[in-house]
Amino acid sequence: MPARTNPLTEALSVSIPKIFDQVQNTTANHQKNIVALYKIHIDASAFTESVHNGRAIKLTGERNFEDAFIDMVCRVLVIKKGASQAERVVKFVGTYTKYLNEKAVETKKEDEADGDDDDTTASRFVARLLKFLVNGFVAKDKIVRYRCVRILAEMVTHLGEIDEDVYMMLRAALIERVHDKETNVRVQAVVALSKLCGSEDASDVNEDEPTAVDVLLDTLACDPAAEVRRAALLNIPLAPHTLSVMLARTRDTDTVMRKLVYSQVLENNCLSTDHASMGAAHPRGLSISQRELIIRNGLGDREPAVRAAAGSLLGTWVDVARGPTKAEDDQAIQKDVIALLKFLDLHESTIAEDALLSIFATRVDIFEHLEFKDDYWRELTPERAFLARVFVEHCIATKDDAKLDACLPVVTHLAFQIQNAYNAYLDDTDTAAAREHEVSEEQLAQEEDARLDQEFIIGELLRLAVSLDYADEIGRRKMFQLVRDMISQEVLPDSLVSRCLDILRTLSPNERDLIRVVVEVVHELRDRDAADEEAEAEKERAEVATSFGETPSAGPSSTQGGLRKPLREAKPLSPEEQVRADALDLRCLSLCIGMLERVNGTFEENSTLEGILGELIIPSVKRKELTLREKGLVCLGLCCLIARRMALNSFQLFLSQIQAAPEVLKIRVLQIVFDILMVHEGDFLGRSNTGGERIIEFLLHILSVEDADKVQALMCMGLAKLVLSGIVADERVLKSLVVAYLSPDTADNQELRQCLSYFFPVFCYSSSVNQRQMMQITMPLFEQLARATRELEDDQEMVSPAQIIGMFVDWTDPQKAFDVQGQKIDNGIHIDLAADLTKALFKDDMEKEEKKVLCQVLGRLHLPDTADDDKIRTIKLLIHNLGTRRPLRDTAAKNALAKFDAALSKKYADKLVDFSEEEYRQLAALKDLFEFLDDIIPVDEGEEIELPKTRARKRRSRSMTTDTTTSGAEEGSPATSAASSSKPRSKGKGKQPKRRRVSGSDDDSDDHFLDNDATPAPTRTLPKRAA
């Protein structure tokens, strides 16, 4: 007997809406209504119809229930995001799906004897609801799409067992919605897809099709909306293959995103859910590079919230470094910190020190429980020595005298500790040298690592010694003698030389004593080498004198302040002897560099340096070996910083080294040159010095012809410092820096771009004078750069003219200028810039797109409340004559210009009352303006001037920087002549050096309309006109 359908439909149409009406008001009644709805669902599923003469059954009741349920869901789909009633209904749908599948699993377990029939009431309901929601994914209404994906995201974790076809349909639909144009839809699609990807089998995916995880990782890295990236970050399962993409988000542009990486992803996954084992983000499971990336980006973030999250993560790392469970006492905390330090690279960077200082600041309990008793110093490891040194420096920085007195070792004890460690290092070095050919490569590598650890321990102890209290005279003498003996050893590693010199500077009463000690040591090292060749007896005596722990005897000439002069004519050295002599000179030069870096007095006050200068530094500068010459030039440059006369005499030597030197040496020499210019500014770049012009031309020439990225970056950095400090005010330098910043040839030079992107805002906003200087070069540079954008080659990229002029407008905005005491902010800069922009619109050779850009940027200019009357009239007259003499052809440009004209007229209505060109002609202040306007021939309406074709063929244009620097070079200055002759231009087809392609006319032609020069010859004949 067929089931009755009409009464059931009527009952469902009453009971189901009643339940949905209740659940939309509060979540407290959801569980009760879920049970009631499940009972209705089961009762409805009992109603069936027999079809095909009883051979099949039609599930009429289930169909009616699904129709009624979907009808209720449809009423939610049109509700905008944010309505709490709709969110409660969505949550109810997801919870009911979960309850329905749980009941289906229980029923299946009870009826196991019935077979493996997966077609149940729950599966049929879920399949139909899914298909309905997926159909809504492609709806035109964004609200409907959002609600469909939102409901699916709530259901997806409770779907139970679904057919393979339904799963693939659902997966494809979600991947498509991940790329929806609406942010809200993409967020919910990411949430749903991340829950679905856990059941995905990579073998079921086609080779040319991305997996769901790949799609989510691509979304995490590339989606423009921070909300979408945030949803992907919080929902993608953490695994080794997804961790690297997540860690890249520590440099995300969104602050909340960066904070979530540390607080939600990394910190919450250090341990497993039950805290019984390591989690996916445990520091032991990360590589050293990943740990350092986390620390560097977190502690170096500009936002305090991100730095705090990174500090909290480091505190958690300390707690879990040795495992999930441990004893809580002082020794255990110390072991935890040391265990964390073993995860970091202590040798190569300061990241471990930054991490340790962050732990001391954020976890006061760890800092308070650290103690360094006598037994701590007996068995030192790199981690233990590092911890002690950083702890002492932190106590000094925070002025925690109580903790400092408790942890600092006695000076004499530390001196003996350093001595024992260094002697052990020497013994191991000698043993390794004797057994070099007797052991395997693996064992050699292990011994080398052990020696590096010993060297690191000695270095940390020496850094710790700088912070000691040397009131104890016995300890002070012991430490002084120890360090002096160490720098007298040829085998002392170069990394420890600077550490020893720091201690000597601390122990020396003044700079003169420090210089005297270092000169004596250099003298002894070189005398000892000469004595080895003269006699065996002297060699034996020298070996005795250099035994560690004893004071070497000074030669007779040590008190003279210079180096020993040869007693007899030097004989030619063998190759082995020459290598040893060069190594000794390198050590002496390293000592001199370290000493000069720690000297602030003048060269004349320390006459002891003259001997080293003449017998060590100058001969090293003349050597052909690159390493020796580099160190010799560095020493000479440091001497020049404290000797004005020497700098004046040696500066030409440094300039001559720049052109022919290899890149490494060129970088060193340029650093020296810029340091000398900064220290002795008045002697080289002062207004009364005529050589300053030649120096600037030479530096700009080097910048224009240089190919190496590092050298370009260093040149721009040095010139930017000179300009920012006010030492150089040459307009050509500023032009060259702007050109280098925007040139397509520097697109891959990130160091240069980053330096200049910081320099220009600081330079312009620091002073209105600087802003006016930038305003004056705006239009010539814009025309030059805009022309370069049209001449780009296929593989080059450059910012558009709109972005270029936008940068200039932003840099010259008087509202962003800092209020400097004693200097008034110039609010009329943009008024003058508006006049320059409007004058440029009269040019015939300017492209239509460039004119449109200039018109559109006029609306972004700042119009002050008060302005000079003549300047306002000038702009108004220019706009008025532009419409009659050079009317714009582009509609967008005309609209933008009209909008600016209206804003100008409204802002300064009182100044433009009774606007009359005839009356303005009588004003003497506007005489130059009317001469400029009268020289412009009006263009008839509908008549267009055909411009000469400038892109008939591709060619390699001249350097942008050359355009801005040749004005002075054409006069034939000696510096420029030397620079050009040293690197001649090749006229053949050989490989040309890389240059900035942005080119243009000479500086004189940039303002040709101001000089009343003729415009480029048009195709029609213009009538002659008197000037």
Side-chain angles (χ1 to χ4, degrees), residues 430-596:
D430 295 339
T431 304
R435 301 171 55 239
E436 183 177 1
H437 303 290
E438 301 175 5
V439 296
S440 61
E441 293 184 0
E442 183 178 355
Q443 190 172 355
L444 277 176
Q446 293 177 355
E447 293 177 355
E448 181 64 24
D449 291 341
R451 285 197 299 275
L452 289 176
D453 288 344
Q454 288 179 319
E455 181 181 331
F456 180 79
I457 293 172
I458 298 170
E460 292 301 299
L461 293 178
L462 290 172
R463 294 181 69 178
L464 177 61
V466 178
S467 305
L468 296 181
D469 182 9
Y470 289 99
D472 179 15
E473 182 64 20
I474 297 176
R476 192 194 72 82
R477 289 183 179 181
K478 174 62 181 175
M479 184 65 74
F480 183 85
Q481 190 62 45
L482 169 68
V483 175
R484 190 190 183 286
D485 289 345
M486 288 177 66
I487 63 175
S488 301
Q489 299 270 335
E490 297 178 36
V491 295
L492 180 69
D494 289 337
S495 61
L496 300 182
V497 172
S498 61
R499 306 281 182 246
C500 293
L501 291 174
D502 286 335
I503 298 177
L504 284 179
R505 182 179 60 175
T506 303
L507 297 178
S508 300
N510 51 52
E511 290 182 354
R512 183 170 298 178
D513 283 356
L514 171 64
I515 294 173
R516 179 183 56 79
V517 172
V518 175
V519 169
E520 288 179 0
V521 171
V522 172
H523 170 79
E524 291 169 7
L525 287 171
R526 292 171 65 87
D527 270 2
R528 189 182 311 150
D529 185 55
D532 289 344
E533 302 174 6
E534 294 180 357
E536 184 67 20
E538 291 186 12
K539 176 181 178 182
E540 184 177 355
R541 181 170 58 81
E543 290 176 350
V544 173
T546 55
S547 60
F548 183 71
E550 300 180 6
T551 307
S553 59
S557 60
S558 63
T559 60
Q560 303 300 321
L563 298 182
R564 181 190 60 81
K565 296 183 179 181
L567 301 177
R568 56 189 175 85
E569 187 177 352
K571 62 180 181 180
L573 301 178
S574 65
E576 294 78 8
E577 292 173 341
Q578 185 65 50
V579 169
R580 186 177 182 279
D582 291 347
L584 194 62
D585 286 345
L586 286 174
R587 166 49 54 86
C588 294
L589 289 170
S590 297
L591 286 171
C592 293
I593 290 173
M595 173 194 65
L596 291 169

Side-chain angles (χ1 to χ4, degrees), residues 5 69 203 215 331 799:
T5 56
F69 190 93
S203 60
V215 173
Q331 286 295 107
V799 294

Side-chain angles (χ1 to χ4, degrees), residues 354-417:
D354 296 338
L356 204 51
L357 292 175
S358 174
I359 292 170
F360 291 160
T362 57
R363 293 288 300 273
V364 183
D365 56 322
I366 294 177
F367 177 74
E368 293 295 335
H369 285 84
L370 289 177
E371 295 181 354
F372 303 93
K373 299 179 180 179
D374 293 340
D375 57 346
Y376 182 87
W377 306 96
R378 289 171 188 162
E379 294 182 1
L380 285 177
T381 62
E383 292 77 23
R384 295 167 73 90
F386 180 82
L387 175 59
R389 193 264 304 171
V390 176
F391 185 87
V392 169
E393 291 182 353
H394 179 69
C395 291
I396 295 174
T398 57
K399 299 181 180 180
D400 192 343
D401 297 332
K403 294 289 288 184
L404 187 62
D405 294 338
C407 69
L408 273 180
V410 180
V411 176
T412 308
H413 177 267
L414 184 61
F416 279 109
Q417 193 81 29

Side-chain angles (χ1 to χ4, degrees), residues 156-157 159-160 167 170-171 174 189-205 211-214 216 235-239 241-242:
V156 72
T157 53
L159 293 179
Y167 171 81
L170 182 60
R171 177 183 175 278
L174 286 175
V190 165
V191 173
L193 189 60
S194 61
K195 296 176 181 177
L196 196 66
C197 68
S199 59
E200 184 181 54
D201 188 358
S203 60
D204 296 337
V205 182
T211 63
V213 175
D214 294 337
L216 292 174
N235 290 279
I236 292 177
L238 189 61
H241 63 282
T242 62

